[in-house]
Amino acid sequence: MFYELSDEQKAFQKRVREIYEREVSPLVEEYERKETFPVQLFPILGKEHLLCLRCPKKYGGPGLDKISECITVEEMNRICVGIAAGVMVHGGLATDPILHYGSEELKLKYLSPAVRGEKIGAFALTEPDAGSDASGIRTTAQKQGEQYRINGSKTFITNGTICDFVTVAAYTDPSKRGIGINLFVVERGDPGFSVTKKLRKLGNHSSDTAELAFDDCEIPKERMLGEKEGGGLSQLEGTLKSGRITYGARSTGVGQAAFDAIFNYVKKHQRNGQPLSRSQAIRFILAEMAMSLEAMRYMTYRGAWLFDQGLATMKDASVIKLFCAESVQSIVQKAMTIQKQAGLMADNPVQRFLRDGRLAKIPEGTSEIQHLVIAAGLGL
Ligand SMILES: Cc1cc2nc3c(=O)[nH]c(=O)nc-3n(C[C@H](O)[C@H](O)[C@H](O)COP(=O)(O)OP(=O)(O)OC[C@H]3O[C@@H](n4cnc5c(N)ncnc54)[C@H](O)[C@@H]3O)c2cc1C
């Protein structure tokens, strides 16, 4: 049973925190303003063995466990949710399906450079008319001799404009709704693949989000993940389970950042000649923020521990995603309540935590979808 990080895990957390403070913190302001991802960070994190954390050593990865991955995700989100988004998608949704379902050739070709941060990955499932219901996608992949020809469009794709390869969901058999889907690896430069639009967002400004088009995009048939046509959505189940637990760490990270900012503010400021920290109303708010963070962290790391034991269910992962994504809403609102007008100013990080925190409710299954998964897990 997981209760506390081991000494080794605490040492890893300390090392990760130092690296992120040194390498990520100085980039935040500039890239949030530029609304783009600092791509130079990928090889730096690669050298520090902080990409694709669970990728086995055989492919050059660190071969660490889910708890270690959650430690890195929490620490990076504490510094910047936008930058963390690009790193998380690269190490999770983009590369996880290749690791679990790709041929040996694909693993060697894509995972090793991804681990080193030499190639950036993206993942494309969502379309203009299909998100929560993935079986509603319209993108198709038709086999023609030695190739697949992909047609369709994708939207809200993290790392879309900066990726070197993208793991794409498409129907190989559109007559089999939900079942006839496969995942393919498409490379930047493949004929017919283009980035059609860079999207601007409420939050996560330093992550890159785009619309992609596949217009008679031809790729070798060996780039399909898995040995036969069909079953692509069930291949995604393990990736989503893992990603929803990671989202617990993501929400905890930004929640902790909001708490830290407010805690320091309260310790330093006075109102009507009295230290803010003596106000009972403010003490109660901080106590509630701390209580939520403790519950979020406990749930997340217990989920990671269950995942490492092979015991985590989809329901467990959805409970974590839903609880943490909703709890962080209240944490960032409370932070704003204490900061008042100052928190709304552009150079105050609290407004960034509020905007970034709001987005936690959407990717890898919205809060409504997590309710549905939990209810199904209850046998309803
Ligand atoms: C910042 C950001 C980054 C993203 N990155 C990626 C990425 O890298 N790759 C990718 O493929 N996608 C990505 N997405 C897309 C994201 O996964 C989808 O937005 C999400 O799955 C919801 O899909 P949708 O937008 O089509 O909304 P819809 O599915 O149309 O849902 C609209 C609303 O209806 C609700 N709803 C839908 N179905 C039900 C139901 N059955 N019962 C009750 N309520 C329901 C939803 O909760 C939501 O509130 C990203 C999104 C954001 C915001």
Side-chain angles (χ1 to χ4, degrees):
M1 181 71 184
F2 174 86
Y3 283 111
E4 184 63 80
L5 295 181
S6 66
D7 287 347
E8 199 184 330
Q9 286 161 340
K10 282 181 188 160
F12 177 70
Q13 183 183 46
K14 183 169 175 286
R15 178 181 155 250
V16 164
R17 189 172 291 176
E18 283 166 4
I19 293 170
Y20 291 165
E21 290 289 356
R22 187 181 71 230
E23 305 292 350
V24 183
S25 292
L27 303 171
V28 176
E29 217 176 289
E30 179 184 352
Y31 286 86
E32 280 286 307
R33 197 176 54 247
K34 285 183 178 166
E35 298 193 24
T36 185
F37 185 93
V39 285
Q40 70 275 23
L41 189 60
F42 271 107
I44 294 171
L45 294 179
K47 279 205 184 79
E48 298 286 358
H49 307 288
L50 289 176
L51 291 175
C52 310
L53 269 278
R54 287 175 300 112
C55 182
K57 293 198 164 129
K58 186 177 174 192
Y59 305 110
L64 295 174
D65 58 9
K66 188 76 192 161
I67 292 184
S68 307
E69 186 182 33
C70 284
I71 289 171
T72 64
V73 168
E74 181 184 340
E75 292 301 323
M76 192 178 275
N77 280 277
R78 208 170 56 78
I79 293 175
C80 184
V81 180
I83 295 176
V87 175
M88 278 171 67
V89 166
H90 173 80
L93 288 167
T95 46
D96 232 36
I98 301 176
L99 175 63
H100 293 295
Y101 299 100
S103 63
E104 199 56 24
E105 196 189 343
L106 291 182
K107 288 182 199 178
L108 290 169
K109 183 168 182 199
Y110 296 104
L111 296 182
S112 303
V115 162
R116 291 194 297 271
E118 292 164 3
K119 298 256 185 241
I120 301 172
F123 170 76
L125 172 67
T126 309
E127 298 185 0
D129 295 317
S132 302
D133 178 12
S135 62
I137 62 168
R138 293 196 189 147
T139 299
T140 55
Q142 260 189 324
K143 196 165 179 197
Q144 296 187 333
E146 295 299 296
Q147 309 227 293
Y148 274 98
R149 180 175 288 205
I150 303 180
N151 276 291
S153 60
K154 300 285 178 181
T155 191
F156 305 139
I157 308 306
T158 305
N159 293 345
T161 72
I162 59 171
C163 66
D164 297 290
F165 65 90
V166 50
T167 303
V168 183
Y171 267 106
T172 43
D173 185 350
S175 70
K176 293 183 184 156
R177 191 177 160 90
I179 299 164
I181 292 175
N182 284 85
L183 300 174
F184 297 86
V185 184
V186 173
E187 291 181 14
R188 169 178 298 278
D190 279 332
F193 169 50
S194 61
V195 177
T196 41
K197 192 175 180 186
K198 181 174 160 117
L199 301 169
R200 300 188 67 204
K201 311 178 288 299
L202 168 78
N204 291 14
H205 283 174
S206 50
S207 88
D208 177 271
T209 312
E211 283 180 5
L212 309 179
F214 303 87
D215 193 4
D216 282 336
C217 170
E218 288 190 342
I219 59 165
K221 67 178 185 351
E222 291 75 20
R223 295 234 216 110
M224 184 177 87
L225 304 187
E227 281 161 13
K228 55 179 177 31
E229 290 194 351
L233 283 191
S234 47
Q235 289 177 349
L236 278 180
E237 209 169 273
T239 300
L240 283 176
K241 191 196 288 179
S242 167
R244 288 172 184 174
I245 295 170
T246 316
Y247 244 87
R250 184 162 166 77
S251 303
T252 307
V254 63
Q256 185 67 51
F259 176 87
D260 291 345
I262 290 307
F263 186 82
N264 290 331
Y265 176 81
V266 163
K267 291 285 259 185
K268 279 190 201 141
H269 287 80
Q270 299 201 338
R271 203 164 285 156
N272 301 330
Q274 290 292 318
L276 279 182
S277 58
R278 300 316 306 159
S279 151
Q280 178 164 292
I282 285 176
R283 290 165 77 91
F284 276 29
I285 292 176
L286 277 161
E288 284 175 7
M289 289 167 85
M291 176 187 71
S292 295
L293 281 168
E294 200 156 311
M296 289 158 76
R297 192 168 282 121
Y298 176 72
M299 247 190 194
T300 298
Y301 286 92
R302 177 180 171 273
W305 180 84
L306 284 175
F307 188 89
D308 285 334
Q309 312 303 311
L311 298 173
T313 62
M314 284 307 277
K315 174 178 152 275
D316 294 328
S318 287
V319 164
I320 294 165
K321 165 97 191 344
L322 178 60
F323 182 79
C324 295
E326 292 302 322
S327 300
V328 78
Q329 306 308 313
S330 126
I331 291 177
V332 292
Q333 288 291 352
K334 285 185 169 90
M336 191 54 90
T337 303
I338 295 181
Q339 281 265 279
K340 296 193 175 160
Q341 301 85 326
L344 295 169
M345 298 302 115
D347 58 356
N348 189 316
V350 171
Q351 51 80 27
R352 172 161 62 85
F353 303 144
L354 186 79
R355 292 184 285 102
D356 287 346
R358 176 60 182 82
L359 294 194
K361 286 160 69 85
I362 302 168
E364 302 209 25
T366 62
S367 287
E368 289 76 18
I369 296 306
Q370 307 308 333
H371 279 89
L372 294 178
V373 175
I374 295 166
L378 292 171
L380 294 172

